[in-house]
Amino acid sequence: MADDNFDEFIKKLEYLEEDIKKVGRQVVNRAINEGMAVTIKATPKGEYSADVFFMTRSGKQVHFKRKFVPQGGTLQKGWISTPAIMTSTGWKGEYSNNVEYGFWVNFGHRVVVDGETVGYVPGQFFLEAGVEHMKRNLDRYFASEIKNIRGNWK
């Protein structure tokens, strides 16, 4: 009789271990997905006009209308995520963007003309918005998953 109780206890521990793995994966995936959604929403889209104005080096003003107006959104569409994986130190998940100029849009950059800094474009910090969202909500994600498991144990 004692062996039956012990076997049942071992089975519950095995189920619990699987549940813990499931919770870890789901919490990280949810954090990544929601963080990336916030980042995408905060990522600016380029806005372009058909009118083009600029001044040449000789001081001549140039104005013309483009036939093709570029469409923005390349940076916003460049976000990708990887599913959560278990590592030796815990769970890992990530999202990233490989659009070349994304770093400078996020963090800001100098404006250089003829080797001289003439201004600064401030950063948009859209990546940080998503990361902060994940940090603020991680406890909530975890509590939600634990609540689901407790409901399944009844």
Side-chain angles (χ1 to χ4, degrees):
M1 191 68 165
D3 285 341
D4 290 341
N5 288 340
F6 185 71
D7 288 343
E8 187 176 326
F9 176 72
I10 294 297
K11 283 182 183 177
K12 283 189 175 186
L13 284 178
E14 288 170 351
Y15 287 134
L16 183 60
E17 183 179 346
E18 285 302 312
D19 283 344
I20 289 171
K21 288 179 181 177
K22 182 179 175 184
V23 165
R25 180 175 30 262
Q26 288 178 331
V27 166
V28 171
N29 281 333
R30 183 173 176 190
I32 293 298
N33 291 336
E34 288 190 16
M36 189 167 91
V38 168
T39 298
I40 289 170
K41 188 173 180 179
T43 302
K45 278 185 172 180
E47 295 179 13
Y48 303 96
S49 168
D51 293 319
V52 177
F53 295 94
F54 64 91
M55 187 177 293
T56 65
R57 287 182 184 215
S58 65
K60 179 181 174 188
Q61 289 186 354
V62 177
H63 169 254
F64 61 90
K65 287 195 179 281
R66 305 181 217 216
K67 291 180 183 174
F68 171 76
V69 179
Q71 183 178 1
T74 301
L75 184 58
Q76 200 174 54
K77 292 178 212 165
W79 291 103
I80 58 167
S81 65
T82 58
I85 58 168
M86 190 169 195
T87 66
S88 61
T89 57
W91 286 93
K92 175 186 172 187
E94 57 188 28
Y95 64 96
S96 61
N97 194 316
N98 67 354
V99 175
E100 291 178 25
Y101 55 85
F103 178 88
W104 291 280
V105 177
N106 187 64
F107 293 110
H109 59 89
R110 296 181 308 143
V111 177
V112 179
V113 176
D114 294 329
E116 186 176 325
T117 300
V118 296
Y120 182 78
V121 176
Q124 302 285 320
F125 301 105
F126 43 87
L127 178 58
E128 287 73 8
V131 171
E132 287 303 314
H133 177 82
M134 288 189 296
K135 286 180 182 178
R136 279 192 314 271
N137 290 288
L138 208 51
D139 288 342
R140 184 174 55 87
Y141 303 152
F142 187 71
S144 173
E145 290 301 324
I146 293 299
K147 185 177 178 182
N148 287 341
I149 286 178
R150 285 184 181 156
N152 292 336
W153 276 76
K154 291 180 181 178

